[in-house]
Amino acid sequence: MLHVFVCPSCRAARLVSRSRSASCLACGMPMVMSEISYLQWIDLDEEERKRAVERQAEAAASFPDS
């Protein structure tokens, strides 16, 4: 199963299979798993993905231990 991860630091997104954790390939920081499933992600256009990444990064910044 693929998971969508978001970097709260640089706002990069990454698709990861099997693992429940990921590090950002752009900046090396730990990433958070998105609330959006892979199936939802592939249905989003580029602008919707940018908004989803921003929302997830802001939420992660509000709760740094999650």
Side-chain angles (χ1 to χ4, degrees), residues 20-58:
R20 301 294 260 174
S21 63
S23 295
C24 181
L25 297 175
C27 72
M29 298 297 291
M31 299 180 91
V32 294
M33 190 181 298
S34 177
E35 298 170 350
I36 296 175
S37 72
Y38 170 72
L39 293 177
Q40 292 168 317
W41 181 260
I42 61 174
D43 284 337
L44 299 178
D45 63 30
E46 185 177 346
E47 192 58 39
E48 290 170 323
R49 288 179 183 181
K50 286 180 184 178
R51 285 193 302 267
V53 166
E54 190 61 35
R55 279 193 308 272
Q56 188 68 44
E58 288 174 5

